[in-house]
mmCIF file of all heavy atoms in Angstrom:
data_model
loop_
_atom_site.group_PDB
_atom_site.id
_atom_site.type_symbol
_atom_site.label_atom_id
_atom_site.label_comp_id
_atom_site.label_asym_id
_atom_site.label_seq_id
_atom_site.Cartn_x
_atom_site.Cartn_y
_atom_site.Cartn_z
ATOM 1 N N ARG A 149 101.661 126.572 198.470
ATOM 2 C CA ARG A 149 102.813 125.930 197.839
ATOM 3 C C ARG A 149 102.517 125.608 196.379
ATOM 4 O O ARG A 149 103.342 125.852 195.486
ATOM 5 C CB ARG A 149 103.183 124.660 198.610
ATOM 6 C CG ARG A 149 104.422 123.956 198.078
ATOM 7 C CD ARG A 149 104.815 122.795 198.969
ATOM 8 N NE ARG A 149 103.758 121.808 199.086
ATOM 9 C CZ ARG A 149 103.052 121.589 200.200
ATOM 10 N NH1 ARG A 149 103.283 122.280 201.298
ATOM 11 N NH2 ARG A 149 102.097 120.672 200.230
ATOM 12 N N LEU A 150 101.341 125.084 196.120
ATOM 13 C CA LEU A 150 100.952 124.736 194.747
ATOM 14 C C LEU A 150 100.954 125.973 193.850
ATOM 15 O O LEU A 150 101.496 125.950 192.735
ATOM 16 C CB LEU A 150 99.561 124.092 194.764
ATOM 17 C CG LEU A 150 98.995 123.695 193.400
ATOM 18 C CD1 LEU A 150 99.616 122.388 192.934
ATOM 19 C CD2 LEU A 150 97.476 123.552 193.457
ATOM 20 N N VAL A 151 100.360 127.045 194.337
ATOM 21 C CA VAL A 151 100.268 128.266 193.528
ATOM 22 C C VAL A 151 101.660 128.883 193.349
ATOM 23 O O VAL A 151 102.002 129.364 192.258
ATOM 24 C CB VAL A 151 99.282 129.264 194.175
ATOM 25 C CG1 VAL A 151 99.293 130.606 193.440
ATOM 26 C CG2 VAL A 151 97.868 128.676 194.189
ATOM 27 N N ARG A 153 104.437 127.397 193.107
ATOM 28 C CA ARG A 153 105.189 126.640 192.101
ATOM 29 C C ARG A 153 104.545 126.757 190.718
ATOM 30 O O ARG A 153 105.203 127.128 189.740
ATOM 31 C CB ARG A 153 105.263 125.171 192.523
ATOM 32 C CG ARG A 153 106.181 124.931 193.707
ATOM 33 C CD ARG A 153 106.082 123.500 194.188
ATOM 34 N NE ARG A 153 107.004 123.234 195.309
ATOM 35 C CZ ARG A 153 106.934 122.168 196.075
ATOM 36 N NH1 ARG A 153 105.988 121.249 195.884
ATOM 37 N NH2 ARG A 153 107.802 121.996 197.057
ATOM 38 N N ALA A 154 103.280 126.427 190.645
ATOM 39 C CA ALA A 154 102.642 126.328 189.334
ATOM 40 C C ALA A 154 102.502 127.678 188.655
ATOM 41 O O ALA A 154 102.642 127.783 187.433
ATOM 42 C CB ALA A 154 101.266 125.675 189.473
ATOM 43 N N VAL A 155 102.240 128.712 189.418
ATOM 44 C CA VAL A 155 101.961 130.021 188.822
ATOM 45 C C VAL A 155 103.184 130.937 188.884
ATOM 46 O O VAL A 155 103.569 131.549 187.890
ATOM 47 C CB VAL A 155 100.757 130.688 189.525
ATOM 48 C CG1 VAL A 155 100.480 132.070 188.924
ATOM 49 C CG2 VAL A 155 99.522 129.794 189.424
ATOM 50 N N GLU A 158 108.055 129.679 191.812
ATOM 51 C CA GLU A 158 108.894 129.669 193.011
ATOM 52 C C GLU A 158 108.914 128.254 193.599
ATOM 53 O O GLU A 158 107.932 127.517 193.491
ATOM 54 C CB GLU A 158 108.349 130.643 194.055
ATOM 55 C CG GLU A 158 108.250 132.078 193.581
ATOM 56 C CD GLU A 158 109.606 132.714 193.388
ATOM 57 O OE1 GLU A 158 110.573 132.216 194.004
ATOM 58 O OE2 GLU A 158 109.708 133.678 192.621
ATOM 59 N N PRO A 159 110.002 127.881 194.240
ATOM 60 C CA PRO A 159 110.057 126.525 194.799
ATOM 61 C C PRO A 159 109.122 126.321 195.978
ATOM 62 O O PRO A 159 108.725 125.197 196.272
ATOM 63 C CB PRO A 159 111.517 126.368 195.224
ATOM 64 C CG PRO A 159 112.007 127.761 195.392
ATOM 65 C CD PRO A 159 111.275 128.599 194.394
ATOM 66 N N LEU A 194 95.468 118.545 195.499
ATOM 67 C CA LEU A 194 96.722 118.435 194.749
ATOM 68 C C LEU A 194 97.918 118.802 195.627
ATOM 69 O O LEU A 194 98.962 118.141 195.590
ATOM 70 C CB LEU A 194 96.677 119.357 193.527
ATOM 71 C CG LEU A 194 96.119 118.755 192.238
ATOM 72 C CD1 LEU A 194 95.935 119.851 191.186
ATOM 73 C CD2 LEU A 194 97.026 117.652 191.701
ATOM 74 N N VAL A 198 100.029 115.566 195.819
ATOM 75 C CA VAL A 198 100.939 115.532 194.670
ATOM 76 C C VAL A 198 102.047 116.589 194.791
ATOM 77 O O VAL A 198 103.236 116.266 194.763
ATOM 78 C CB VAL A 198 100.152 115.732 193.352
ATOM 79 C CG1 VAL A 198 101.113 115.709 192.159
ATOM 80 C CG2 VAL A 198 99.093 114.644 193.202
ATOM 81 N N CYS A 199 101.657 117.814 194.935
ATOM 82 C CA CYS A 199 102.664 118.891 195.012
ATOM 83 C C CYS A 199 103.084 119.056 196.468
ATOM 84 O O CYS A 199 102.943 120.111 197.069
ATOM 85 C CB CYS A 199 102.097 120.194 194.460
ATOM 86 S SG CYS A 199 103.370 121.424 194.116
ATOM 87 N N VAL A 200 103.637 117.995 197.004
ATOM 88 C CA VAL A 200 103.981 117.974 198.422
ATOM 89 C C VAL A 200 105.293 118.716 198.656
ATOM 90 O O VAL A 200 106.054 118.980 197.719
ATOM 91 C CB VAL A 200 104.070 116.525 198.938
ATOM 92 C CG1 VAL A 200 102.697 115.876 198.909
ATOM 93 C CG2 VAL A 200 105.046 115.718 198.096
ATOM 94 N N ALA A 203 109.133 116.386 198.219
ATOM 95 C CA ALA A 203 109.412 115.748 196.924
ATOM 96 C C ALA A 203 108.144 115.750 196.067
ATOM 97 O O ALA A 203 107.421 114.752 196.025
ATOM 98 C CB ALA A 203 109.912 114.320 197.136
ATOM 99 N N PRO A 204 107.859 116.852 195.401
ATOM 100 C CA PRO A 204 106.647 116.915 194.580
ATOM 101 C C PRO A 204 106.652 115.831 193.503
ATOM 102 O O PRO A 204 107.682 115.556 192.887
ATOM 103 C CB PRO A 204 106.715 118.317 193.975
ATOM 104 C CG PRO A 204 108.136 118.738 194.095
ATOM 105 C CD PRO A 204 108.654 118.084 195.322
ATOM 106 N N ARG A 205 105.492 115.217 193.313
ATOM 107 C CA ARG A 205 105.362 114.120 192.348
ATOM 108 C C ARG A 205 104.985 114.675 190.988
ATOM 109 O O ARG A 205 103.886 114.446 190.470
ATOM 110 C CB ARG A 205 104.318 113.132 192.864
ATOM 111 C CG ARG A 205 104.735 112.449 194.165
ATOM 112 C CD ARG A 205 103.584 111.700 194.794
ATOM 113 N NE ARG A 205 102.804 110.982 193.807
ATOM 114 C CZ ARG A 205 101.488 110.840 193.871
ATOM 115 N NH1 ARG A 205 100.809 111.389 194.860
ATOM 116 N NH2 ARG A 205 100.841 110.162 192.949
ATOM 117 N N CYS A 206 105.915 115.393 190.391
ATOM 118 C CA CYS A 206 105.619 116.100 189.138
ATOM 119 C C CYS A 206 105.222 115.134 188.023
ATOM 120 O O CYS A 206 104.405 115.480 187.172
ATOM 121 C CB CYS A 206 106.824 116.932 188.708
ATOM 122 S SG CYS A 206 107.301 118.196 189.929
ATOM 123 N N VAL A 207 105.772 113.929 188.016
ATOM 124 C CA VAL A 207 105.445 112.994 186.932
ATOM 125 C C VAL A 207 103.985 112.567 186.996
ATOM 126 O O VAL A 207 103.418 112.136 185.997
ATOM 127 C CB VAL A 207 106.350 111.744 186.971
ATOM 128 C CG1 VAL A 207 107.783 112.124 186.636
ATOM 129 C CG2 VAL A 207 106.282 111.062 188.331
ATOM 130 N N ASP A 208 103.373 112.672 188.155
ATOM 131 C CA ASP A 208 101.968 112.289 188.308
ATOM 132 C C ASP A 208 101.039 113.499 188.312
ATOM 133 O O ASP A 208 99.830 113.345 188.522
ATOM 134 C CB ASP A 208 101.765 111.535 189.637
ATOM 135 C CG ASP A 208 102.585 110.263 189.704
ATOM 136 O OD1 ASP A 208 102.700 109.596 188.659
ATOM 137 O OD2 ASP A 208 103.108 109.938 190.788
ATOM 138 N N CYS A 209 101.580 114.674 188.124
ATOM 139 C CA CYS A 209 100.793 115.894 188.332
ATOM 140 C C CYS A 209 100.043 116.297 187.059
ATOM 141 O O CYS A 209 100.655 116.443 185.991
ATOM 142 C CB CYS A 209 101.722 117.030 188.764
ATOM 143 S SG CYS A 209 100.824 118.564 189.069
ATOM 144 N N PRO A 210 98.754 116.536 187.176
ATOM 145 C CA PRO A 210 97.987 116.957 185.993
ATOM 146 C C PRO A 210 98.348 118.360 185.530
ATOM 147 O O PRO A 210 98.024 118.739 184.398
ATOM 148 C CB PRO A 210 96.534 116.889 186.487
ATOM 149 C CG PRO A 210 96.625 117.107 187.964
ATOM 150 C CD PRO A 210 97.909 116.437 188.387
ATOM 151 N N LEU A 211 98.993 119.130 186.383
ATOM 152 C CA LEU A 211 99.356 120.505 186.032
ATOM 153 C C LEU A 211 100.768 120.599 185.454
ATOM 154 O O LEU A 211 101.247 121.697 185.166
ATOM 155 C CB LEU A 211 99.261 121.407 187.270
ATOM 156 C CG LEU A 211 97.957 121.370 188.076
ATOM 157 C CD1 LEU A 211 98.017 122.362 189.234
ATOM 158 C CD2 LEU A 211 96.764 121.666 187.183
ATOM 159 N N ALA A 212 101.438 119.468 185.292
ATOM 160 C CA ALA A 212 102.862 119.491 184.929
ATOM 161 C C ALA A 212 103.124 120.291 183.658
ATOM 162 O O ALA A 212 104.088 121.052 183.579
ATOM 163 C CB ALA A 212 103.381 118.057 184.774
ATOM 164 N N SER A 213 102.254 120.157 182.659
ATOM 165 C CA SER A 213 102.511 120.827 181.371
ATOM 166 C C SER A 213 102.345 122.331 181.453
ATOM 167 O O SER A 213 102.783 123.051 180.559
ATOM 168 C CB SER A 213 101.573 120.260 180.306
ATOM 169 O OG SER A 213 100.232 120.587 180.629
ATOM 170 N N MET A 214 101.712 122.814 182.505
ATOM 171 C CA MET A 214 101.488 124.263 182.627
ATOM 172 C C MET A 214 102.136 124.840 183.886
ATOM 173 O O MET A 214 101.868 125.977 184.262
ATOM 174 C CB MET A 214 99.984 124.567 182.616
ATOM 175 C CG MET A 214 99.184 123.858 183.668
ATOM 176 S SD MET A 214 97.383 124.049 183.418
ATOM 177 C CE MET A 214 97.039 122.615 182.409
ATOM 178 N N CYS A 215 103.008 124.069 184.515
ATOM 179 C CA CYS A 215 103.606 124.502 185.787
ATOM 180 C C CYS A 215 104.850 125.355 185.525
ATOM 181 O O CYS A 215 105.804 124.921 184.872
ATOM 182 C CB CYS A 215 103.990 123.278 186.617
ATOM 183 S SG CYS A 215 104.906 123.681 188.113
ATOM 184 N N ALA A 216 104.862 126.561 186.071
ATOM 185 C CA ALA A 216 105.975 127.482 185.854
ATOM 186 C C ALA A 216 107.251 126.983 186.509
ATOM 187 O O ALA A 216 108.345 127.146 185.955
ATOM 188 C CB ALA A 216 105.606 128.863 186.395
ATOM 189 N N TRP A 217 107.132 126.391 187.660
ATOM 190 C CA TRP A 217 108.335 125.924 188.360
ATOM 191 C C TRP A 217 108.974 124.767 187.609
ATOM 192 O O TRP A 217 110.182 124.720 187.416
ATOM 193 C CB TRP A 217 107.972 125.504 189.785
ATOM 194 C CG TRP A 217 109.176 125.160 190.623
ATOM 195 C CD1 TRP A 217 110.140 126.024 191.051
ATOM 196 C CD2 TRP A 217 109.534 123.874 191.095
ATOM 197 N NE1 TRP A 217 111.084 125.343 191.784
ATOM 198 C CE2 TRP A 217 110.738 124.033 191.832
ATOM 199 C CE3 TRP A 217 108.964 122.603 190.999
ATOM 200 C CZ2 TRP A 217 111.372 122.962 192.450
ATOM 201 C CZ3 TRP A 217 109.597 121.540 191.616
ATOM 202 C CH2 TRP A 217 110.792 121.726 192.331
ATOM 203 N N ARG A 218 108.143 123.872 187.124
ATOM 204 C CA ARG A 218 108.671 122.742 186.353
ATOM 205 C C ARG A 218 109.258 123.233 185.037
ATOM 206 O O ARG A 218 110.318 122.762 184.608
ATOM 207 C CB ARG A 218 107.556 121.729 186.104
ATOM 208 C CG ARG A 218 108.012 120.443 185.463
ATOM 209 C CD ARG A 218 106.887 119.419 185.517
ATOM 210 N NE ARG A 218 107.098 118.310 184.590
ATOM 211 C CZ ARG A 218 107.860 117.251 184.864
ATOM 212 N NH1 ARG A 218 108.489 117.182 186.013
ATOM 213 N NH2 ARG A 218 107.990 116.276 183.986
ATOM 214 N N ALA A 219 108.595 124.205 184.407
ATOM 215 C CA ALA A 219 109.090 124.738 183.137
ATOM 216 C C ALA A 219 110.439 125.435 183.297
ATOM 217 O O ALA A 219 111.223 125.520 182.352
ATOM 218 C CB ALA A 219 108.069 125.717 182.560
ATOM 219 N N ARG A 222 113.862 123.552 187.150
ATOM 220 C CA ARG A 222 114.296 123.189 188.498
ATOM 221 C C ARG A 222 113.459 122.005 188.967
ATOM 222 O O ARG A 222 112.489 122.150 189.694
ATOM 223 C CB ARG A 222 114.147 124.379 189.435
ATOM 224 C CG ARG A 222 115.203 125.448 189.186
ATOM 225 C CD ARG A 222 114.927 126.678 189.984
ATOM 226 N NE ARG A 222 113.806 127.422 189.402
ATOM 227 C CZ ARG A 222 113.301 128.524 189.934
ATOM 228 N NH1 ARG A 222 113.790 128.982 191.048
ATOM 229 N NH2 ARG A 222 112.308 129.143 189.346
HETATM 230 S S1 SF4 B 403 104.359 119.938 188.206
HETATM 231 FE FE1 SF4 B 403 105.364 119.504 190.147
HETATM 232 S S2 SF4 B 403 105.866 121.485 191.055
HETATM 233 FE FE2 SF4 B 403 104.354 121.848 189.421
HETATM 234 S S3 SF4 B 403 102.368 121.846 190.463
HETATM 235 FE FE3 SF4 B 403 102.733 119.753 189.734
HETATM 236 S S4 SF4 B 403 103.737 118.691 191.459
HETATM 237 FE FE4 SF4 B 403 103.850 120.900 191.851
#
Side-chain angles (χ1 to χ4, degrees):
R149 183 174 59 250
L150 179 79
V151 173
R153 288 173 178 166
V155 179
E158 302 291 338
L194 270 171
V198 179
C199 195
V200 293
R205 296 168 42 216
C206 300
V207 292
D208 299 322
C209 181
L211 308 182
S213 65
M214 56 190 91
C215 173
W217 187 68
R218 187 169 163 83
R222 287 172 286 177

